[in-house]
Amino acid sequence: MPNTREAQLARMYTKEAQLAHIENRHKRHKVDRPYRAALQKIHTRHQAYATASPVSAAILSYSSASFLYSDGVLCYQSEGHVRVLDIHASASKECVINISSLIISTISPPPKNPRTGRFTLLNYSHGIIACLYQSKGLNAPAYLLAIDVGIGGTKPGRCILAFPIEGTTNKMIARHNDKYLYFGTHNLDEEGHREWCFTGINLVDGSRMDAQVKPNKFIGSDINSNVTFTIHGSYFYALSSQRCFEEVDYTSCYHCVRFLLSDPLEVEIRDKIWRRQHTEGPINDLWTDLRLLPDERTGELLIVEARREWRKGAPQTQRTYYMQPLPPAFAPGTDNTGTPLGSSPQQSPVDLSGSSDSSLTNNVDAEMLDPPAEEGETANLATQHTSASHTASPRRLHDLPEEDRQIEPLLRKTDAPHYQKERPRLPRYVHEGDNALTKRTFILARTKLRAYNPAANAFLDLVDDPVTDPITHATRSRLRIRVGARKLKPPARKEGFLKGPGIDERTGEAFEEGMQEEYEPLNPDGPILWPPSPPSSPRMGPTQVPSIDEAELTLLTNILNPTGPPSSGQAGPMAVSPAADVHALSDAHCVVYSTPYPTPPGQKQKRALVLINFDAAVGIPRPADNAAELTEVQKPPAAEKENFLLQETVGVSGQQEPMEIERPRWWREEPARWVSVGLGWRAHR
C-alpha cells in the first residue's frame, strides 16, 4: 500500500515528483525520503515564485538571433551555430550545431551558399529541435529539420528529418514529441480567409501522415493571444478564443480541436466551451494572453487566459486571469474538415456545452428556448432581431436576460449569433490582478513578459522600471520582475463553527463545491517588485522591502541589465537601452530573456541571455563553495576538435561490445558559456 506522500505525489505531475518515483523505483525497500524531499522542493519553488524571491540569476550567454526555452532547455543561435543548454540539469556543457555544415550535409541538393538562407528555431521537446531553413531567392525551397541533440537519453548528433515544405510558411508553427512532429501553416482558403492546415510526420521512419488536418472555421492568427497549440499525451490540441469573422454575438466561446498523433483522421471538436458573455464589457485585446498549461496536480490541460476588460462599462480596466479545465469529453469523431462523422454539412452541430442543437436551425442554446419551438418557427436570432417587421416570437426575445438583450440593436442580417447561459466561475479559477486601485502599474510597452503560474497562484511580469541617476539626472532602463500572488482564506466560521455549504439566493440551491472559497492577496500592499529598490530610492514603498545589501543590488543590476547606464550620454551601439527590445519566455521554474548588449560599431548586434531562477535544484550559478571550479574552463575547444567518437554499446551474438560511431562534423560539445561568462548571483539561504 503506498504511503501518504507517494499517494499525494501520484497527483503531482512535476519533475520533482517524477524524479522521486524513479529514485524509489530502484530501491529494494520502499522508503519515504524521496517523496518528502520532492514535496519540500515543490513547496519551496512555489513559495519562491509567489513571493518574488528568486534563488539565483545569471548571464547565460550572448546570442545573435531568437531563442527557445522549453522543458527547461535553452536553444539559441550564436555566430552561425545553434547552442543547446539544459538549464534544469545545471549542465556545464552545451551541444553545438554548425548551421552551414548541417544544411550542406542534410539537404539535397545543398544550397551554394547556406549562410545566405534564413534559419529559424521552431520548437524543442524530448531532446529534439524542430527548425526551418529557407533559402534566399524567389520561390526558394524551404525545409523542416528535426535534430536530436542528445538531451534526456537520446542519441546526439542525428538529423532525424529534412522535410521539404510546399507552399507558404506564413506563421508556421511546429509541435512534436519523440515519435511525431506536426507543423501548421496559415493559408488562404477559397473565401479569402486564412485557415490553419496541419501536416504530420512520423519521426521514427520519416514518413508523412496520410491526411492533413484542416479544422473547419478554426479562426485565430495571433499565437498565444487568440490561438494556441500544444501536444499533450498522445493528442495534438489547438485552441482558439474566436468563433467568427467580424460577427456580433451574445456569447463568446472557446473552439478546441484535438486529434490523435498516430491517426490525424480521428479529429474531435468542442466549439462551444463557454468563455464569457459579451455584455461583460469590452476587452483590450493587446493584453490578452491565451495558453494551454498542464495542471501539476491532475496532469490534465488547463485553459489559462489573461484579459484586461472594462467590466460592465466601468471607466477603468481590470486585469484578470481566467482558468478552466479542458472538458474531458469531446464531441463524437469528426472528419479532417471538422464535420461530425455520419452527418451532412447542413445538419446542425452538437451543442458541445451540454445541450443538443438538433431541434434548432441556428446555434441558440436550447435551454433558453424552453418550451421548444412550434413547427415552422425559427430560432434564427439574426433574422428575428433585424427584420423590419420584427415578426419573431415575443416569448423568445423576452426569454433572454435583460442585460444580454443590450446587443440586439447591433445585430445584422449576416450575423448568426450564439447564446448560452452565463456559467458560474469558481473562485479558484479567477485571479484578479491590476485595477484602478493598484498602487503601481505599468503600460504594455514597459511590460516585456506576462506569465501565470496556476500552481503558485501567482502572475509574473517582466517590466521596465526606469531609474534616474541622482547625480547626472540621466534616466536609464531597469528590468525587474513583478509578482502578484494570492492565498486561500481560512474557512468562514459562524458562532465558532465552520459554515455549511451555503445557499444561492438567486436559485435557492446549494452552491457548487468550491464556490464559497475566498482568496486574498498574499501581499496586502500589492504586487512585489524584485530586485528591491535601494532604501534611499524615491520609489521605495511598502511593496519593496530591502533584503539585499548594496553590493548585491549592484551585481543584480549588472546581471539583469547587462548594458548598464549610458556612457556620458553618448548615442550609438554602446549606449543601447537594455529594455528597448526584450524577448522573454518562462515556465514554473525559470524566466529567460534576451536583451541588447553593447556591440562595437560595424558588428552584428549581440543579445545577452539572462536567467532568473526560482528552483533551488538548478545550480546556475553554482554555490559559492564550488566557485573555484568555474575558473577551470575559460575558452571553448579549438575548431579542429569538431570530430568526436561516441562509444555505444551494441549487442553482437548475445554479447555487449563497445562500438565506435563517428559523430557528424556539424555536431560537437563545448563547455557551457555561463561558466566562462562568470557573472551570476545566488541568494544566501
Side-chain angles (χ1 to χ4, degrees):
M1 181 176 179
N3 55 48
T4 303
R5 288 183 175 82
E6 185 174 354
Q8 185 173 357
L9 281 170
R11 298 182 292 111
M12 299 293 286
Y13 290 79
T14 61
K15 287 191 174 183
E16 294 91 344
Q18 294 168 6
L19 291 174
H21 283 300
I22 293 173
E23 182 178 350
N24 208 39
R25 188 186 307 152
H26 295 292
K27 293 183 180 293
R28 184 175 179 179
H29 301 287
K30 305 303 180 184
V31 295
D32 203 27
R33 191 174 303 160
Y35 303 106
R36 185 186 303 115
L39 280 174
Q40 180 63 36
K41 291 177 182 178
I42 294 170
H43 174 73
T44 302
R45 173 167 56 83
H46 289 171
Q47 283 296 106
Y49 197 105
T51 58
S53 304
V55 175
S56 62
I59 295 181
L60 298 174
S61 186
Y62 303 97
S63 69
S64 55
S66 61
F67 71 96
L68 293 175
Y69 175 66
S70 177
D71 292 342
V73 175
L74 172 67
C75 310
Y76 63 99
Q77 297 184 55
S78 177
E79 299 173 349
H81 295 78
V82 174
R83 305 180 71 93
V84 184
L85 173 67
D86 190 346
I87 294 177
H88 285 187
S90 311
S92 59
K93 291 186 177 181
E94 292 181 341
C95 303
V96 183
I97 300 169
N98 186 303
I99 298 177
S100 296
S101 297
L102 170 69
I103 300 303
I104 293 174
S105 302
T106 56
I107 294 179
S108 180
K112 295 181 179 179
N113 187 2
R115 293 179 180 271
T116 60
R118 185 172 64 178
F119 190 86
T120 307
L121 300 173
L122 296 178
N123 192 53
Y124 171 86
S125 181
H126 292 76
I128 298 171
I129 305 177
C131 316
L132 176 67
Y133 177 77
Q134 293 177 287
S135 302
K136 188 177 181 179
L138 186 63
N139 298 325
Y143 293 87
L144 179 65
L145 306 176
I147 308 163
D148 192 333
V149 295
I151 293 178
T154 58
K155 298 178 181 179
R158 292 188 305 146
C159 185
I160 304 174
L161 178 73
F163 186 82
I165 303 297
E166 300 177 359
T168 180
T169 58
N170 180 54
K171 291 186 179 290
M172 184 171 177
I173 62 101
R175 301 291 184 267
H176 67 275
N177 58 16
D178 56 339
K179 295 180 181 179
Y180 298 96
L181 183 151
Y182 279 82
F183 67 91
T185 54
H186 209 215
N187 309 321
L188 285 173
D189 61 10
E190 297 178 354
E191 298 179 358
H193 299 301
R194 289 197 174 272
E195 64 176 0
W196 286 99
C197 176
F198 303 100
T199 304
I201 302 171
N202 189 323
L203 294 179
V204 177
D205 56 17
S207 61
R208 177 173 174 169
M209 305 304 287
D210 294 334
Q212 289 184 322
V213 180
K214 297 181 179 180
N216 187 32
K217 295 184 179 180
F218 185 81
I219 301 170
S221 59
D222 297 329
I223 298 174
N224 293 333
S225 179
N226 56 30
V227 67
T228 188
F229 310 96
T230 191
I231 285 179
H232 185 70
S234 57
Y235 286 90
F236 182 99
Y237 289 84
L239 179 75
S240 172
S241 60
Q242 293 187 335
R243 188 190 68 84
C244 51
F245 291 103
E246 299 180 355
E247 288 187 1
V248 179
D249 212 338
Y250 288 97
T251 304
S252 174
C253 297
Y254 294 112
H255 186 166
C256 187
V257 176
R258 81 169 186 178
F259 53 85
L260 272 171
L261 299 176
S262 57
D263 186 4
L265 287 174
E266 292 292 329
V267 179
E268 299 173 287
I269 294 177
R270 290 207 68 167
D271 62 354
K272 285 198 210 171
I273 304 172
W274 185 81
R275 177 177 175 241
R276 71 191 296 268
Q277 301 298 103
H278 284 299
T279 52
E280 291 182 28
I283 299 176
N284 186 342
D285 290 327
L286 295 176
W287 284 87
T288 303
D289 187 86
L290 179 66
R291 308 279 175 163
L292 280 171
L293 301 178
D295 190 325
E296 286 191 2
R297 292 190 174 274
T298 65
E300 300 298 327
L301 286 179
L302 194 67
I303 301 174
V304 180
E305 184 180 18
R307 301 196 292 265
R308 186 177 283 275
E309 306 162 301
W310 286 271
R311 284 188 179 175
K312 303 298 182 181
Q316 299 86 16
T317 58
Q318 168 74 55
R319 184 179 172 196
T320 308
Y321 289 86
Y322 297 96
M323 294 157 278
Q324 59 176 301
L326 203 61
F330 275 69
T334 59
D335 60 23
N336 62 354
T337 65
T339 304
L341 295 175
S343 65
S344 63
Q346 293 78 17
Q347 198 170 0
S348 298
V350 175
D351 185 340
L352 300 175
S353 60
S355 59
S356 173
D357 291 332
S358 57
S359 64
L360 305 177
T361 58
N362 197 28
N363 300 325
V364 183
D365 201 333
E367 62 186 77
M368 287 303 301
L369 301 174
D370 186 33
E374 299 177 0
E375 185 176 358
E377 190 175 359
T378 179
N380 190 321
L381 292 183
T383 304
Q384 295 175 14
H385 297 167
T386 57
S387 60
S389 58
H390 284 275
T391 58
S393 167
R395 172 182 56 78
R396 296 236 173 152
L397 290 177
H398 292 299
D399 277 347
L400 297 180
E402 185 66 29
E403 60 180 12
D404 289 332
R405 294 180 58 191
Q406 299 174 12
I407 205 170
E408 293 173 14
L410 304 177
L411 292 174
R412 301 164 299 186
K413 292 183 179 180
T414 56
D415 294 328
H418 291 59
Y419 181 82
Q420 288 187 38
K421 278 185 178 180
E422 184 175 358
R423 305 294 195 259
R425 297 185 176 104
L426 291 176
R428 70 186 65 166
Y429 293 140
V430 180
H431 186 167
E432 295 186 350
D434 301 337
N435 55 33
L437 301 178
T438 305
K439 293 182 178 180
R440 287 206 61 196
T441 58
F442 294 82
I443 63 174
L444 183 62
R446 295 195 181 276
T447 306
K448 308 302 179 180
L449 171 70
R450 306 185 303 279
Y452 191 80
N453 186 340
N457 268 311
F459 65 85
L460 180 148
D461 298 336
L462 178 66
V463 298
D464 177 18
D465 185 16
V467 62
T468 302
D469 190 290
I471 300 176
T472 64
H473 302 288
T475 301
R476 60 181 175 88
S477 296
R478 178 178 55 167
L479 292 171
R480 310 169 78 186
I481 60 171
R482 178 176 180 268
V483 178
R486 63 175 182 167
K487 62 181 179 180
L488 184 64
K489 287 184 178 181
R493 293 176 179 269
K494 184 178 182 180
E495 298 179 355
F497 297 94
L498 293 178
K499 295 178 66 175
I503 303 298
D504 189 341
E505 296 179 356
R506 297 176 301 174
T507 63
E509 300 177 356
F511 279 115
E512 182 181 351
E513 182 182 357
M515 285 300 293
Q516 283 193 303
E517 292 178 345
E518 293 185 14
Y519 289 83
E520 61 184 357
L522 186 62
N523 180 32
D525 295 315
I528 303 172
L529 287 162
W530 183 91
S533 298
S536 59
S537 172
R539 297 214 172 174
M540 186 67 196
T543 62
Q544 308 159 91
V545 180
S547 58
I548 304 175
D549 60 35
E550 188 174 349
E552 286 186 299
L553 279 177
T554 302
L555 175 61
L556 277 172
T557 300
N558 292 334
I559 293 172
L560 303 183
N561 307 275
T563 58
S567 177
S568 302
Q570 295 179 359
M574 299 298 290
V576 63
S577 170
D581 182 22
V582 175
H583 302 283
L585 297 171
S586 70
D587 60 10
H589 300 253
C590 305
V591 174
V592 179
Y593 65 89
S594 69
T595 180
Y597 185 76
T599 306
Q603 296 185 13
K604 188 175 181 180
Q605 176 67 58
K606 289 185 178 181
R607 304 180 64 85
L609 289 167
V610 182
L611 167 72
I612 300 176
N613 168 44
F614 299 95
D615 189 351
V618 175
I620 300 178
R622 293 171 180 164
D625 55 351
N626 293 329
E629 302 176 11
L630 304 183
T631 60
E632 295 179 1
V633 181
Q634 295 294 336
K635 296 182 180 180
E640 61 266 20
K641 295 183 180 180
E642 289 189 358
N643 288 333
F644 291 81
L645 292 180
L646 173 65
Q647 293 286 342
E648 184 172 287
T649 302
V650 181
V652 180
S653 302
Q655 298 180 353
Q656 298 291 326
E657 298 179 358
M659 175 181 176
E660 290 187 346
I661 300 178
E662 186 175 358
R663 293 177 179 174
R665 294 184 60 86
W666 49 263
W667 189 96
R668 67 178 184 268
E669 275 189 347
E670 288 184 359
R673 284 187 171 177
W674 67 265
V675 178
S676 57
V677 170
L679 191 56
W681 168 88
R682 197 168 189 89
H684 303 291
R685 295 179 182 173

